[in-house]
Amino acid sequence: MTRKQKRLAVIAGGMGFILTAVLLVMFAFGQSIAYFYVPNDLAESDVQPGTRIRLGGLVEAGSVVRGEGSTVTFTVTDTLSQLPVTYTGILPDLFREGQGVVAEGRFEGMDKVFVADTVLAKHDETYMPKDVADRLKAQGVELSGKEQIQ
């Protein structure tokens, strides 16, 4: 091999290594992405049971029901649609009715009950996650302006 051929072989090997690393990172991220939905989006789309998603909206007033142990059932709404959510675990201290919430989990079975494994609540009375606020605005929900991040 000439010197030029050796240099091209090293460059080609390096490019192959970089390409392989990029593809592995893309595959890893593709497996962990959880898309964000509001209840009205889910009413209009066909999300398959077992698909991991994020659900955002407001906890509907009067919908929180504490079951046995640490199981809690509540309804997430975007004022256009509602979706029941079941969560087993300790809820955040700031979780309450009428407040913004993001639940991460999946649908189990065909009964349209969302089983959450993570529930995030807003951190104070003037905060709503930007994604939730934008989706609610897109659905035509009026926000007073202080519920969202600027």
Side-chain angles (χ1 to χ4, degrees):
M1 272 178 130
T2 66
R3 194 171 172 178
K4 186 175 184 179
Q5 290 173 330
K6 286 181 185 178
R7 194 174 340 160
L8 286 174
V10 168
I11 291 173
M15 294 296 283
F17 177 76
I18 291 172
L19 179 65
T20 302
V22 168
L23 289 174
L24 287 173
V25 168
M26 288 176 59
F27 179 74
F29 282 136
Q31 295 295 316
S32 66
I33 291 177
Y35 297 99
F36 185 87
Y37 294 93
V38 292
N40 197 42
D41 290 342
L42 293 171
E44 297 172 357
S45 67
D46 184 29
V47 176
Q48 299 299 317
T51 303
R52 186 163 187 75
I53 63 169
R54 285 188 180 153
L55 170 67
L58 303 171
V59 178
E60 190 170 36
S63 70
V64 178
V65 177
R66 304 210 182 259
E68 290 190 28
S70 60
T71 300
V72 179
T73 303
F74 57 94
T75 303
V76 173
T77 183
D78 58 2
T79 69
L80 299 174
S81 297
Q82 296 83 25
L83 189 68
V85 177
T86 300
Y87 175 69
T88 301
I90 299 172
L91 287 169
D93 291 338
L94 298 173
F95 177 89
R96 61 184 162 270
E97 297 173 351
Q99 300 292 324
V101 68
V102 175
E104 189 172 336
R106 58 189 56 161
F107 287 103
E108 291 185 3
M110 300 302 287
D111 55 356
K112 283 288 192 183
V113 173
F114 187 75
V115 178
D117 53 41
T118 304
V119 173
L120 305 171
K122 65 185 197 171
H123 66 77
D124 69 13
E125 70 278 353
T126 61
Y127 173 78
M128 177 180 292
K130 184 166 177 23
D131 292 348
V132 174
D134 291 345
R135 286 303 191 81
L136 290 173
K137 278 185 182 177
Q139 299 294 331
V141 176
E142 291 291 324
L143 299 175
S144 66
K146 64 179 184 176
E147 295 99 344
Q148 56 189 324
I149 289 180
Q150 298 302 330

